[in-house]
Amino acid sequence: MRDNASPSDPAARPTATGAIRTLGAHPATAPIVLHPGDRIPTSRRVLYVILLGALTALGPFTIDLYLPAFPVLREDFGTTDAAIQLTLTGTMIGFALGQLIVGPLSDKVGRRLPLLAVTALHVLASTAAALAPSLELLSAARVLMGAGAAAGGVVAAAIVRDLFGGRRLVVMLSRLALVSGVAPVLAPLVGSGLLLVTSWRGIFGVLAVYGAVMLISAIVFIPETLPKARRQDRGATTVWQRYRSVFSDRVFIGVLIIGGMTFSGLFSYLSASSFLFQESYGFDAQQYGLLFAANSLGVVLGVQVAARLAARFGPQWVLAWSTSVLAVAAVAIIVTDQLGLGLWGTVVPLFFFMTACGFTFPCVQVLALDRHGNAAGTAQSIVGATNFGVAGIISPLVGWIAKDAGITATTMASVMVGCAVIGLASLWLIVRPRSVERLAP
């Protein structure tokens, strides 16, 4: 869609996103009187939530759908647990680097072009992974798959920030956070079901189809939401200026660390859990998938309650509670494992850990994006790249620590404890909740 208003028109005209912009001598810097999304019909808003949610889920599904197949991959390629875990690391690093490219690019040229180009890359890379004859080629394809899935989450959050602000932004971002929080724990359940009817190669084939459906849907239904005038906003015309404006914000730096540590704790669990529950506790692939479904309930609960509490009390205070629960729950896993309490001693505190992740994700996004509307794509790309890049580096530590004795609940939770403690320190030493302003209406 295009902005049809002439710069010389003295009257207010709707912009490409539906907002009311008062035009005058300098239309590019004229104030937006109304959040564009407030003028979108409810039915269209629901469609956007569904499509943007599905795009956001493409990344987590790309990363996690094949987790139940880890033991099968190890046998097929005749390699080690650590080597298979490195394919997960490569995917997350590709995902992180892709976001660092897509985010600033979407602020410069608009949302649609980067979204379409990178999603097309995902389809091609998924097809290559399904046909890969060796672990080396599979690993390379996985890096490209991660980069190709990067656009979904970055552009979806940037589109939401283009359209909404204040408390409505909290609600809309909570919907995306729900998807990004639930998708990593639902993906292995879906993957385990797929293994009943296909091989690990079929899983990558499904991802290729998923990416193709998202590409077609984006072409047909998702409009450009960043008007040309806003792409040239003063002080944000270059990638360097956008990065500088974001990294000069103390609160952004603090929540960036919190988000990265929370994701690292989550993915430490994800990368280790297939071996822990299938080999130590004797689960089959389907039972393992059902465990993820149960944990996803905690994430759903956390995200939905967090959205209401953040709008009322402020996201910084929700983080004060959730980061504390992350640390306590991770320590509890170690204690119960050392006491020999078995499966339930691990699963119960793990559920609380996952619920605390659900509380954390939307609050991190809100604090990061609400303060940087003119560089929403850049800000979201940094958050996403940090989350998945740091998690990709830290999560294999579980396998390294357990290389001699095997993966246990204690070795998994040791990494989770370290991540939670760093997140707590960042909240109180860098973010400093009392110094954060309340959200605007």
Side-chain angles (χ1 to χ4, degrees):
M1 292 187 291
R2 295 181 181 274
D3 186 353
N4 296 320
S6 168
S8 61
D9 290 344
R13 293 289 183 87
T15 69
T17 60
I20 301 299
R21 186 182 292 276
T22 303
L23 299 183
H26 303 286
T29 59
I32 294 179
V33 180
L34 185 67
H35 292 307
D38 295 340
R39 298 174 61 84
I40 297 176
T42 301
S43 58
R44 192 73 178 181
R45 193 180 303 160
V46 171
L47 176 63
Y48 284 171
V49 168
I50 293 173
L51 292 181
L52 296 178
L55 280 168
T56 300
L58 180 61
F61 267 81
T62 295
I63 292 169
D64 298 333
L65 194 64
Y66 80 133
L67 288 180
F70 270 18
V72 179
L73 282 166
R74 180 188 59 196
E75 298 302 320
D76 279 3
F77 288 115
T79 187
T80 64
D81 294 349
I84 297 301
Q85 284 181 318
L86 284 176
T87 65
L88 178 62
T89 297
T91 310
M92 289 192 288
I93 291 175
F95 193 71
L97 293 176
Q99 290 185 82
L100 290 176
I101 296 171
V102 170
L105 188 62
S106 74
D107 286 333
K108 186 67 176 178
V109 304
R111 311 304 184 195
R112 275 176 58 85
L113 181 59
L115 174 63
L116 300 181
V118 182
T119 305
L121 173 63
H122 176 273
V123 176
L124 295 176
S126 298
T127 303
L131 302 175
S134 67
L135 183 60
E136 291 76 16
L137 291 177
L138 174 62
S139 299
R142 289 292 291 166
V143 172
L144 292 176
M145 285 179 68
V154 172
V155 175
I159 288 174
V160 169
R161 185 61 186 88
D162 290 341
L163 298 176
F164 303 100
R167 290 183 174 86
R168 190 181 290 275
L169 175 65
V170 175
V171 175
M172 296 300 292
L173 285 179
S174 73
R175 302 293 184 264
L176 298 188
L178 175 62
V179 173
S180 61
V182 172
V185 291
L186 279 183
L189 173 63
V190 177
S192 64
L194 288 174
L195 285 175
L196 293 174
V197 296
T198 187
S199 66
W200 62 265
R201 296 184 185 276
I203 290 177
F204 293 126
V206 169
L207 284 170
V209 173
Y210 183 178
V213 170
M214 288 296 95
L215 179 61
I216 294 171
S217 298
I219 292 172
V220 175
F221 295 111
I222 297 180
E224 180 58 66
T225 60
L226 187 66
K228 290 184 178 180
R230 286 184 58 196
R231 301 175 204 174
Q232 302 298 327
D233 279 350
R234 185 177 179 182
T237 58
T238 68
V239 171
W240 166 246
Q241 287 172 322
R242 290 188 175 95
Y243 276 118
R244 185 175 60 182
S245 68
V246 169
F247 279 115
S248 62
D249 180 5
R250 168 183 56 82
V251 173
F252 180 87
I253 296 296
V255 297
L256 189 67
I257 295 172
I258 295 170
M261 289 301 103
T262 303
F263 259 81
S264 295
L266 172 64
F267 278 96
S268 295
Y269 157 59
L270 292 177
S271 66
S273 60
S274 180
F275 300 111
L276 174 64
F277 288 103
Q278 293 190 63
E279 296 182 356
S280 297
Y281 293 125
F283 282 31
D284 59 28
Q286 286 66 50
Q287 291 170 327
Y288 169 70
L290 288 174
L291 174 68
F292 271 84
N295 282 331
S296 71
L297 296 178
V299 179
V300 171
L301 174 66
V303 169
Q304 294 306 299
V305 176
R308 296 179 181 272
L309 294 179
R312 182 174 180 182
F313 300 106
Q316 68 272 26
W317 296 112
V318 177
L319 285 177
W321 287 96
S322 66
T323 51
S324 298
V325 173
L326 285 171
V328 172
V331 170
I333 294 174
I334 296 176
V335 172
T336 56
D337 186 48
Q338 293 302 306
L339 292 176
L341 299 184
L343 175 64
W344 287 107
T346 298
V347 169
V348 172
L350 182 59
F351 179 83
F352 284 98
F353 184 92
M354 300 298 287
T355 302
C357 287
F359 274 89
T360 303
F361 295 146
C363 296
V364 166
Q365 273 197 309
V366 169
L367 287 174
L369 297 186
D370 186 58
R371 305 162 67 89
H372 298 285
N374 289 339
T378 300
Q380 178 60 26
S381 72
I382 295 170
V383 171
T386 300
N387 286 348
F388 288 94
V390 173
I393 294 171
I394 291 179
S395 59
L397 288 177
V398 178
W400 181 78
I401 294 172
K403 61 182 179 180
D404 295 324
I407 292 175
T408 66
T410 296
T411 55
M412 177 185 72
S414 297
V415 178
M416 294 160 66
V417 168
C419 294
V421 170
I422 294 173
L424 264 174
S426 177
L427 176 70
W428 294 106
L429 298 179
I430 301 177
V431 176
R432 302 199 295 271
R434 292 182 180 86
S435 69
V436 179
E437 306 89 350
R438 293 183 64 86
L439 290 174

